[in-house]
Amino acid sequence: MNSKTLLFTLISSLSLSFLTGCEHATVSESREGAAALAALNYDGSQTALDNLNKQINEAGLDTARKSALIADLVTVLNTPKLTFDAQQTICQKLGYITLTDADIERILPAVSPLLLNLATVNNGLLALVPISSSRVDRVFIDALNHSEGELKVALVQALARRKQVSATNDLIALINDGDKAISDAAIYALGEIGTREALTGLSQAKNQSNHYVVDAKIAIAWKLSPQEGSDILNQIYLDKSLTESNRAAALRGLLNLQPEKAKDRIVDALMGSSAAYKKVCLESLYSSQVPNLKAAVLDHFSSYDPVTQCSVIAVMGKLSEVGARSVTEASLSSEVDELRLAALGAIANIPSTPKTVKILAELAAKASGDELRAAKYAIARLQGEGVSEAVLELSKSGSVKQKVFCIEAIGARNMTQAVPDLLAMRKAKEIQVRVAALDALGDLASVGLTDPIYAWTLGSKEGQELTHAKRTLFKILQLENDSSLRGVDLITKIKAGDAVTQLKLMSLLPKLDSEIALACAKQLALSDKADVSSEAISTLETWSDAGGLVSLVEISEDSKNPSVRSLALESALRVVDLERTTPAKEKSDLLIRLFQCNLTIEQKNSVLYRLGRGVSAKALSFAESLASDVNYGVEAKRAAEEIRANKLWPATLISEANTRDLHNMVDGNFKSSWTAPTASKPSLTIDLKAKRIIRQIVLDERRDNRNYPQSLEVYITDDLDQLGTPVVVVKGTIDATIVNLPKPYYSRYIILKGTSKNKDANWSITELHVD
Amino acid sequence: MKTVNPRKVAHSLAQPTRRDVIKQGLAGILAYSVAPLVLPNRMFGATAPSNQINVGFVGMGLQCSGHVQAMLGREDVRVLAVCDVWQEKAQKYKDKIEAHYASGKRGGSYHGVDMYHKYEDLVARTDIDAVFVCTPDHWHAAVSNAAMKSGKDVYCEKPLTLTIKEGQVLVNTARKYGRILQTGSQQRSNASFRKAAEMVRNGWIGEITGIRTALGEFPVVTSLPEEKIPEGLDYDRWLGPTPWRPFNLQRMKGDFGGGWRCFYEYGARKNGDWGAHHFDIIQWALGMDHTGPVDFIPKGYQGTEYQTHIYANGIRVERVDNHLKSMIEFKGKKGTIWVSRNDYLETDPISMSAKPLSPSEVHLYASDNHHDDFLNAIVTRQRPIADVEIGHRTATVCHLNAIAERLGRPLKWDPLKEEIVGDPEASRWLDRPRRAPYAIL
């Protein structure tokens, strides 16, 4: 061993102590760490890798610590039974560390040989590609000249990544190589290097139409002087043997490098027939600094075909080009639908005038669908002197449609200065104007509008105006941040008001989402005014939380009026039906309370029917307690039977169509559903897990309410091999399909077959219930 | 026994809560903020072949499904090709797309969708106008770059890139070749996020005192046993430019909660996966689309409670992950904004969210459908809402956060020069080595 090697080995041995990340590690611990790293496998313990990462992070920017770590890693690299995974990992880490010249010399003997073997070349590249050094340059060239095939490709690609100028001649020698992968890689590398020498070399490529050659030339063109670059790009642009996309790319470059010719080139392209050229020219408008370019493009607007005109207008709009206003305004009157649409999109961003408002309002009065929406978009954003004033003026003086358009715009433009004018529109003859004014006031909602909007609401007759007035009133009420005060004013007015007032304002109570609103609604339900009571009960039925249902039960309990009790019961049962999810969540307690109210026999039996959907011990016990009752026994026994059967719920569901989402039908979640295409005539098998009573099947479709089968065949059986004939065939219906069986059945399986004539139709079930 | 038909009551039952009122307020405003399509489906006889936009898909895994469905639903688009390194995935989509087109034909058969194993062959076609790139992150840049150089416009899933250097290359190519690239940050095409950004931009909540966002977390990566490579899968090509690893389906699986997303080799974990959405909206709201933060501090560094990045004006963005009531929270001296997906937008004061902008205020580019916006841009050549530079700048924020996390130390960033300041080690991470023969970007 010579002195240099001895010194290297001594240094390496001392440096081993750093491998475990502990300055005071023993030599044996260090050796263990090195051994663990050398034996690294990606599918085994990663402790050695974790330790290495930690050491690298701890070394941070400390040059001495890094160098010591590097020395350790080189030692590991030289371990005889080093795994591939360890080699790759170490090389990868070396590539992320900034190396001194001494570090580079240290790693080269271990890493350079890796470049000579296809199995290890990528590992070598991990370490060496990031190193910018003439020493490493020579290593690469040397390796290149001793390689072939795939190995050569890898090295050429590495030279491209390094943009290694010193390899230019070696790469030029490869551009006509018989192996296309090598020649293409070499051509690409020359493009990355980007020098004049590289360009000269490229001219020697036999196939100048090869897209690698063209791309490389384009890449070089951007790196050389504008004159040189222009020459290259011009050659490509004029070469008709090349693809249009190549030539378009060259054109794009010329627009930048020869700005003095940009105007003519762009106008020519836009007037021409090449979509590829038009695309790059339009795109260039965004970044071009050429003076008066946009004006030149607009000057020739009438010469372009309609599609190009649309594109030009769109670009000008995005650039807020004031010079495009007259062309854009004129296009608003075009007979071409798409051009009007493009102009509407653009005008919103172009500084405008009162004339623009007038044109928009005239267009909107005749428009519908996309175009009307686009006009509303435009007027909401339109900027310029006098624009808001023009909007206000037309809101009072135009045709009815123009007025409505401009009134809506007042709201959309947040023109709070127009509030008095909007309030005055309460006296307008046209209902459309009054409704639009109310909506605009809703957009401009402020607490100061409370009293006039209350007055407007209470003064409105039933119908559209009242609906919109209430909507606006609600928006104003919502402005109150303090939830304890929100709606207090409304409730006071309701309580103090006459029946007309109460009937008008009551529907706002559920929207307040508060305890005092709920209490008010309940109080109204117990009122002795029949219409008020009835309306209040309907309102409670639509309450957003459980409070509504509880109140309905309380009304059934507390009211001395049988009609009120009936209404409350019916509403309560509708809520129970609507909110039905799974047996575990059934509202058995409330149903038991309802049963105990002063109701008719029929009403109580309908309560018992719902009680049968539950699964609780209390519900079962209650049902069983009535089993002998002469009036309720039949229904109570069936309910008890169902409750016992419900313990096996959810059913097992089987279908050949969409097996993935079957559980969505029984998860109690209205936001999930099962869907299958009816064209394949899917069947759904419901295995109830044991024989049980079956009286009704409910397919809740609310999540996708229009996806129901036109025809639903229902089979009930205990033997899946013997379906027999359907017990009933029903038509599917929107929102929910309810199958009432002709008599109660006792079976285990239900099979549903859905069909539809529309081959694109789907069958969707949000929740499935069996009674 | 009568049972009520659910939906008949559901309408009236669905009384708006406070939250719904905000949504309704937003809905009212939507009528005035929907960006019009310049050239919608009925463009000059949309179904004529010369007026259709022909598209190809690269990457037929989890994410492409929504894009394929969207394109199949359009008369002005024709899907001509699919490409995947796993033949069965490409075949599945080829069959699905052909069945869709066949159902609209008399005779009911259609065989016009080509299948490719190499994206290079797909992008070389001269009859394809646009390419959807739905691969894992590590392939985004190479495929997008090749497509643009071949004269195609690109819709590339987010995050746009695996490295910052890749993003610079893509911006360069898009501008030099005059191409349109839409990043798949579809939250920009959602009215709630747009309104939130507009409120911030217009100073409605005053001086920003802090921004918080929740990205969630992926499971920790563990070593995976080597498995047999399935028939028809070119695993080497799937790995592409990333370092070799033994095959295990967990490593390459498309899974919103894990799979390849967990591995730094193929992405930036949650910083990339969800950061590409939420950091993007924050950039938008702050008007930072062409620049970015200057400081990145990893969680736990010297007691830092949350991963944080800081803009030059002092605004701090913290990744909180737990106990945040929305995906993004903007706090200011005059109010707070909470915004999430599914049209969730809440403000304090409450009136703010429903208030319209006045024309003199900043109105952000309105797009309400990310695909429509892309297809629009193909025809009009306007920069789409998530243009390549925007996608690159957002991805930069994602990557710098991930680099700081992996190095365990803060980073300083110069967004103008696009350089890490004073840390040559960290600067190495701006790009990654690329494995041959996939080293070409």
Side-chain angles (χ1 to χ4, degrees):
Chain A
M1 189 185 285
N2 66 33
S3 58
K4 191 172 170 182
T5 311
L6 177 62
L7 183 61
F8 181 78
T9 307
L10 274 171
I11 291 169
S12 301
S13 304
L14 287 169
S15 301
L16 272 173
S17 64
F18 284 101
L19 264 180
T20 58
C22 172
E23 287 183 6
H24 304 292
T26 63
V27 172
S28 61
E29 281 172 347
S30 304
R31 285 206 183 114
E32 273 173 23
L37 184 58
L40 180 73
N41 276 303
Y42 290 124
D43 55 0
S45 165
Q46 304 297 291
T47 305
L49 177 56
D50 293 339
N51 284 340
L52 178 56
N53 285 335
K54 191 174 161 204
Q55 286 160 53
I56 292 172
N57 285 355
E58 284 172 356
L61 304 175
D62 184 327
T63 312
R65 281 184 77 169
K66 280 195 296 180
S67 290
L69 180 58
I70 288 162
D72 291 341
L73 293 176
V74 169
T75 303
V76 177
L77 275 178
N78 289 324
T79 305
K81 288 188 181 173
L82 183 73
T83 63
F84 177 89
D85 298 356
Q87 188 187 76
Q88 180 178 238
T89 295
I90 292 170
C91 288
Q92 191 174 9
K93 299 304 174 188
L94 286 173
Y96 279 118
I97 301 174
T98 312
L99 304 174
T100 62
D101 287 343
D103 293 330
I104 293 171
E105 286 305 320
R106 181 169 289 132
I107 73 168
L108 278 178
V111 176
S112 307
L114 302 180
L115 299 182
L116 300 174
N117 188 322
L118 187 60
T120 59
V121 62
N122 274 309
N123 292 347
L125 296 180
L126 284 168
L128 295 178
V129 164
I131 302 176
S132 181
S133 130
S134 54
R135 177 82 174 88
V136 174
D137 281 2
R138 288 195 297 276
V139 167
F140 270 98
I141 292 173
D142 190 52
L144 180 74
N145 292 327
H146 287 91
S147 64
E148 55 186 26
E150 288 176 52
L151 182 58
K152 205 173 201 87
V153 171
L155 291 166
V156 171
Q157 288 184 349
L159 290 172
R161 299 276 295 162
R162 288 171 57 77
K163 299 188 196 315
Q164 189 169 321
V165 175
S166 61
T168 303
N169 289 334
D170 300 273
L171 290 167
I172 291 171
L174 295 174
I175 62 174
N176 293 311
D177 194 282
D179 184 333
K180 191 170 186 300
I182 293 174
S183 59
D184 285 346
I187 291 165
Y188 172 78
L190 287 170
E192 289 295 291
I193 286 169
T195 59
R196 284 182 196 86
E197 291 71 27
L199 179 67
T200 306
L202 280 173
S203 65
Q204 297 172 30
K206 283 184 192 155
N207 180 7
Q208 289 291 308
S209 301
N210 176 350
H211 80 87
Y212 278 100
V213 173
V214 179
D215 281 343
K217 284 183 176 176
I218 291 174
I220 294 174
W222 284 93
K223 290 172 187 163
L224 299 181
S225 70
Q227 183 57 56
E228 287 168 307
S230 302
D231 289 343
I232 298 166
L233 294 174
N234 215 31
Q235 252 185 355
I236 295 170
Y237 177 48
L238 297 173
D239 185 348
K240 293 189 177 153
S241 72
L242 298 177
T243 64
E244 199 175 42
S245 74
N246 281 157
R247 297 171 66 194
L251 173 60
R252 181 65 186 84
L254 284 168
L255 295 177
N256 262 45
L257 296 182
Q258 290 185 323
E260 69 283 1
K261 295 187 182 176
K263 270 188 229 172
D264 289 341
R265 283 192 166 124
I266 290 174
V267 169
D268 284 345
L270 295 180
M271 287 172 61
S273 59
S274 165
Y277 292 171
K278 288 186 196 191
K279 284 180 178 179
V280 301
C281 287
L282 286 164
E283 191 279 334
S284 77
L285 292 176
Y286 281 98
S287 49
S288 178
Q289 302 291 314
V290 171
N292 304 315
L293 172 58
K294 298 180 195 75
V297 168
L298 289 165
D299 280 345
H300 293 84
F301 186 81
S302 56
S303 310
Y304 309 142
D305 63 72
V307 177
T308 305
Q309 288 179 330
C310 286
S311 303
V312 167
I313 283 182
V315 171
M316 295 298 171
K318 274 301 290 271
L319 294 170
S320 300
E321 174 58 32
V322 66
R325 183 171 67 229
S326 57
V327 153
T328 309
E329 282 176 352
S331 298
L332 289 171
S333 315
S334 167
E335 288 180 1
V336 178
D337 295 346
E338 285 75 11
L339 196 50
R340 291 197 306 276
L341 215 49
L344 284 167
I347 201 72
N349 294 324
I350 294 174
S352 297
T353 67
K355 177 186 168 196
T356 322
V357 175
K358 193 160 179 287
I359 297 173
L360 276 176
E362 282 167 3
L363 181 153
K366 294 180 266 187
S368 62
D370 279 343
E371 199 163 308
L372 182 58
R373 273 179 36 195
K376 290 185 181 185
Y377 170 89
I379 195 97
R381 294 174 169 228
L382 208 65
Q383 282 197 68
E385 201 171 321
V387 165
S388 289
E389 290 80 358
V391 169
L392 181 57
E393 177 54 38
L394 263 177
S395 75
K396 293 186 275 194
S397 62
S399 67
V400 172
K401 282 192 175 178
Q402 288 175 346
K403 281 183 191 172
V404 167
F405 178 69
C406 290
I407 293 169
E408 289 173 352
I410 288 172
R413 293 169 64 83
N414 200 14
M415 284 169 57
T416 50
Q417 70 272 27
V419 163
D421 300 274
L422 291 173
L423 287 171
M425 289 175 192
R426 185 179 166 190
K427 298 192 176 116
K429 286 185 220 161
E430 306 94 342
I431 184 168
Q432 303 98 308
V433 169
R434 298 197 302 274
V435 164
L438 279 164
D439 287 346
L441 286 164
D443 287 336
L444 303 174
S446 70
V447 173
L449 287 174
T450 312
D451 286 342
I453 298 300
Y454 263 123
W456 197 331
T457 305
L458 294 172
S460 299
K461 295 191 178 128
E462 278 299 326
Q464 216 186 0
E465 191 172 349
L466 178 60
T467 303
H468 285 255
K470 286 197 287 188
R471 194 178 291 167
T472 295
L473 180 60
F474 176 51
K475 283 187 184 177
I476 293 168
L477 294 174
Q478 288 299 313
L479 297 177
E480 175 55 66
N481 261 353
D482 185 344
S483 56
S484 66
L485 297 175
R486 197 175 302 130
V488 165
D489 193 43
L490 173 72
I491 290 167
T492 305
K493 279 189 166 48
I494 289 175
K495 284 183 177 174
D498 58 13
V500 170
T501 298
Q502 290 173 341
L503 285 168
K504 277 189 179 173
L505 297 180
M506 196 187 310
S507 62
L508 290 173
L509 288 172
K511 298 174 192 278
L512 291 176
D513 197 19
S514 69
E515 287 297 322
I516 53 171
L518 183 65
C520 180
K522 187 181 163 191
Q523 189 182 344
L524 292 171
L526 292 168
S527 155
D528 54 10
K529 294 175 238 172
D531 48 358
V532 170
S533 170
S534 166
E535 182 65 24
I537 289 170
S538 296
T539 299
L540 284 166
E541 187 178 329
T542 65
W543 216 263
S544 63
D545 62 31
L549 178 58
V550 171
S551 295
L552 288 168
V553 171
E554 288 169 352
I555 292 162
S556 300
E557 288 170 334
D558 299 341
S559 177
K560 297 181 176 18
N561 185 329
S563 303
V564 170
R565 290 198 301 273
S566 281
L567 280 174
L569 170 74
E570 283 163 23
S571 287
L573 293 183
R574 279 196 291 269
V575 174
V576 166
D577 289 345
L578 179 68
E579 293 181 357
R580 184 179 181 184
T581 53
T582 62
K585 292 181 184 171
E586 279 308 299
K587 296 166 176 59
S588 303
D589 287 355
L590 289 175
L591 288 168
I592 290 170
R593 282 174 63 182
L594 275 174
F595 184 89
Q596 289 164 337
C597 293
N598 186 1
L599 300 169
T600 67
I601 296 172
E602 189 186 345
Q603 287 171 337
K604 291 197 180 202
N605 273 318
S606 72
V607 173
L608 281 174
Y609 179 87
R610 273 107 180 144
L611 191 68
R613 294 173 181 165
V615 77
S616 71
K618 189 174 176 183
L620 180 59
S621 166
F622 187 79
E624 284 172 340
S625 71
L626 294 167
S628 311
D629 188 288
V630 62
N631 291 317
Y632 309 116
V634 170
E635 196 57 55
K637 277 189 220 157
R638 283 187 183 150
E641 207 178 324
E642 276 193 47
I643 292 168
R644 282 189 285 270
N646 287 341
K647 287 186 203 271
L648 295 178
W649 192 263
T652 300
L653 303 170
I654 305 159
S655 177
E656 77 282 1
N658 188 3
T659 54
R660 201 181 57 202
D661 299 330
L662 287 165
H663 61 279
N664 287 347
M665 285 188 266
V666 291
D667 62 0
N669 180 0
F670 294 137
K671 293 181 182 173
S672 67
S673 57
W674 171 83
T675 305
T678 48
S680 57
K681 298 188 184 168
S683 69
L684 174 66
T685 300
I686 305 164
D687 176 1
L688 299 163
K689 299 178 183 168
K691 285 175 76 148
R692 61 158 284 167
I693 185 169
I694 306 166
R695 294 192 276 177
Q696 185 184 71
I697 303 158
V698 177
L699 310 181
D700 183 332
E701 297 146 0
R702 71 182 71 194
R703 187 167 179 260
D704 209 352
N705 65 335
R706 292 187 181 278
N707 277 334
Y708 54 88
Q710 284 179 325
S711 173
L712 190 70
E713 294 174 0
V714 181
Y715 301 81
I716 296 184
T717 183
D718 286 313
D719 181 351
L720 289 176
D721 294 324
Q722 304 274 347
L723 291 193
T725 54
V727 304
V728 69
V729 179
V730 301
K731 282 186 191 170
T733 43
I734 192 172
D735 298 332
T737 298
I738 300 166
V739 182
N740 288 304
L741 297 177
K743 59 172 184 166
Y745 284 80
Y746 290 86
S747 285
R748 175 169 168 175
Y749 299 104
I750 302 169
I751 294 93
L752 305 176
K753 293 195 181 189
T755 57
S756 178
K757 283 183 201 157
N758 184 351
K759 63 180 176 180
D760 287 339
N762 284 325
W763 179 17
S764 185
I765 301 173
T766 306
E767 286 299 298
L768 167 73
H769 306 294
V770 174
D771 292 336
Chain B
M1 190 67 59
K2 276 191 181 173
T3 300
V4 73
N5 190 322
R7 192 54 183 237
K8 282 194 167 60
V9 184
H11 276 300
S12 50
L13 194 69
Q15 283 303 302
T17 58
R18 235 180 115 186
R19 183 171 150 168
D20 292 330
V21 164
I22 292 152
K23 197 169 154 181
Q24 284 175 2
L26 201 60
I29 285 155
L30 270 182
Y32 300 96
S33 69
V34 170
L37 276 178
V38 173
L39 294 167
N41 285 356
R42 50 193 173 75
M43 179 189 113
F44 298 110
T47 52
S50 60
N51 283 329
Q52 284 180 325
I53 298 172
N54 293 328
V55 306
F57 282 86
V58 180
M60 311 313 297
L62 180 66
Q63 200 60 30
C64 80
S65 164
H67 300 307
V68 169
Q69 275 306 116
M71 293 305 106
L72 291 182
R74 297 184 65 104
E75 288 179 357
D76 56 348
V77 170
R78 199 74 174 172
V79 180
L80 295 189
V82 296
C83 172
D84 201 279
V85 296
W86 199 339
Q87 191 187 358
E88 80 176 33
K89 289 195 177 189
Q91 185 72 56
K92 174 182 143 193
Y93 272 94
K94 173 182 156 76
D95 292 344
K96 180 176 172 159
I97 296 165
E98 286 181 341
H100 172 85
Y101 287 138
S103 68
K105 288 182 73 168
R106 260 188 218 170
S109 100
Y110 178 87
H111 299 289
V113 178
D114 293 315
M115 207 165 79
Y116 295 93
H117 156 237
K118 290 184 179 178
Y119 71 88
E120 293 93 330
D121 295 333
L122 185 151
V123 306
R125 286 175 68 145
T126 53
D127 58 345
I128 283 183
D129 302 306
V131 176
F132 278 76
V133 182
C134 308
T135 63
D137 301 357
H138 63 284
W139 266 118
H140 284 180
V143 179
S144 300
N145 207 40
M148 287 194 287
K149 282 184 166 179
S150 301
K152 279 75 179 156
D153 297 317
V154 171
Y155 183 113
C156 182
E157 264 296 337
K158 37 58 57 180
L160 184 63
T161 56
L162 185 66
T163 72
I164 293 167
K165 177 70 183 170
E166 285 179 352
Q168 292 166 345
V169 168
L170 291 182
V171 172
N172 219 23
T173 303
R175 299 297 184 244
K176 284 183 180 164
Y177 282 73
R179 307 267 42 109
I180 299 296
L181 186 148
Q182 173 84 302
T183 315
S185 326
Q186 76 273 17
Q187 282 180 180
R188 288 222 181 192
S189 294
N190 172 272
S192 301
F193 286 106
R194 181 169 68 247
K195 185 67 192 286
E198 283 172 334
M199 289 191 279
V200 172
R201 279 284 193 111
N202 286 296
W204 287 13
I205 57 172
E207 183 188 326
I208 303 288
T209 55
I211 301 172
R212 302 195 296 170
T213 183
L215 305 186
E217 195 52 82
F218 281 128
V220 170
V221 161
T222 55
S223 62
L224 300 170
E226 184 166 9
E227 295 173 343
K228 184 167 181 277
I229 298 172
E231 194 75 36
L233 166 62
D234 184 346
Y235 177 59
D236 183 71
R237 184 167 262 265
W238 185 89
L239 285 171
T242 69
W244 182 88
R245 294 286 188 270
F247 174 79
N248 183 291
L249 189 59
Q250 264 314 112
R251 177 176 291 279
M252 64 170 288
K253 192 171 76 153
D255 180 348
F256 292 128
W260 62 261
R261 285 171 170 79
C262 293
F263 295 88
Y264 274 120
E265 289 92 317
Y266 320 117
R269 288 175 57 93
K270 283 290 186 182
N271 270 314
D273 191 44
W274 273 99
H277 284 307
H278 298 331
F279 295 155
D280 182 67
I281 296 298
I282 293 167
Q283 287 265 100
W284 196 24
L286 297 177
M288 298 287 182
D289 277 340
H290 302 289
T291 175
V294 294
D295 284 299
F296 293 81
I297 307 170
K299 178 178 173 178
Y301 177 76
Q302 293 184 350
T304 304
E305 196 179 355
Y306 305 114
Q307 170 188 299
T308 305
H309 59 263
I310 308 170
Y311 288 87
N313 57 12
I315 294 178
R316 300 173 71 92
V317 178
E318 290 179 326
R319 176 184 163 185
V320 172
D321 283 348
N322 291 315
H323 312 300
L324 200 59
K325 82 168 170 180
S326 60
M327 289 174 169
I328 307 173
E329 174 193 88
F330 295 94
K331 238 178 158 48
K333 287 190 171 170
K334 296 201 283 184
T336 305
I337 300 166
W338 296 277
V339 63
S340 289
R341 291 196 171 186
N342 300 316
D343 295 329
Y344 177 75
L345 177 64
E346 189 178 331
T347 57
D348 178 22
I350 189 174
S351 55
M352 200 162 41
S353 63
K355 184 179 135 193
L357 292 165
S358 68
S360 59
E361 290 181 301
V362 171
H363 285 249
L364 294 174
Y365 174 179
S367 157
D368 291 291
N369 183 298
H370 218 55
H371 293 120
D372 284 352
D373 182 65
F374 171 55
L375 296 167
N376 219 30
I378 289 176
V379 179
T380 64
R381 312 317 285 171
Q382 63 189 52
R383 300 258 163 93
I385 190 161
D387 168 62
V388 62
E389 187 180 355
I390 288 170
H392 161 55
R393 291 285 185 173
T394 294
T396 296
V397 178
C398 302
H399 297 321
L400 287 168
N401 270 310
I403 293 168
E405 181 182 33
R406 296 182 76 184
L407 291 175
R409 61 175 182 269
L411 301 176
K412 285 205 167 305
W413 175 247
D414 181 338
L416 196 61
K417 293 181 185 171
E418 293 195 84
E419 291 173 356
I420 290 177
V421 180
D423 192 335
E425 305 292 330
S427 297
R428 295 267 190 175
W429 292 69
L430 296 179
D431 198 9
R432 295 190 195 186
R434 297 179 71 81
R435 190 174 67 103
Y438 310 105
I440 288 181
L441 177 57

